[in-house]
């Protein structure tokens, strides 16, 4: 399934909130975990080391630049959600590019499909 919506918030390098017209509250906006990537945590409360938190702040800033509030994106839902209730979804940019692939290319994200997360402290 695909849904078109507007970015309402960037939570982290791999999590955004998207408002989809017609979706009911409290599921609108919906929290989306971007499928296929892991980014470093931007909060020291969740990061394993200072290096990870620093990289996380950089990744989050990059997402905010590339997906400013109001950006129209297409969500290609994987059919899955995860333990925090976020929708696991591909995020497709207006130009048709896969956002996760763009992040991996910049080095702000690493491939991740639910197995062991990368260690950003090394």
């Amino acid at each position: 399934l695909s849904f078109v919506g507007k970015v309402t918030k960037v939570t982290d390098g791999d999590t955004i909130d998207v408002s989809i017209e017609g979706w009911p509250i409290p599921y609108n906006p919906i929290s989306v975990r971007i499928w296929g990537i892991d980014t470093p945590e931007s909060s020291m409360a969740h990061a394993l080391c200072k290096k990870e938190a620093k990289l996380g702040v950089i990744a989050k800033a990059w997402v905010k630049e590339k997906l400013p509030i109001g950006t129209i994106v297409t969500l290609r839902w994987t059919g899955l959600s995860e333990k925090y209730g976020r929708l696991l979804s591909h995020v497709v940019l207006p130009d048709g590019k896969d956002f996760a692939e763009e992040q991996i290319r910049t080095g702000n994200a690493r491939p991740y499909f639910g197995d062991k997360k990368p260690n950003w402290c090394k």
Side-chain angles (χ1 to χ4, degrees), residues 12 38-43 46-47 52-57 117 120:
D12 217 335
D38 180 61
T39 61
E41 297 293 337
S42 60
S43 161
H46 298 108
E52 180 178 5
K54 182 178 178 180
L55 291 171
V57 168
K117 287 191 174 191
W120 293 95

Side-chain angles (χ1 to χ4, degrees), residues 64-114:
K64 283 185 168 186
E65 179 185 323
K66 299 298 179 188
L67 294 178
I69 304 305
T71 301
I72 303 295
V73 293
T74 300
L75 303 178
R76 286 196 343 252
W77 186 37
T78 62
L80 305 169
S81 59
E82 43 82 276
K83 63 183 175 183
Y84 299 110
R86 298 176 291 188
L87 208 65
L88 289 172
S89 182
H90 296 272
V91 175
V92 182
L93 299 171
D95 64 4
K97 292 181 181 174
D98 183 277
F99 191 64
E101 291 175 8
E102 296 292 304
Q103 285 180 288
I104 291 169
R105 193 168 19 262
T106 67
N108 289 323
R110 295 180 183 159
Y112 175 70
F113 298 97

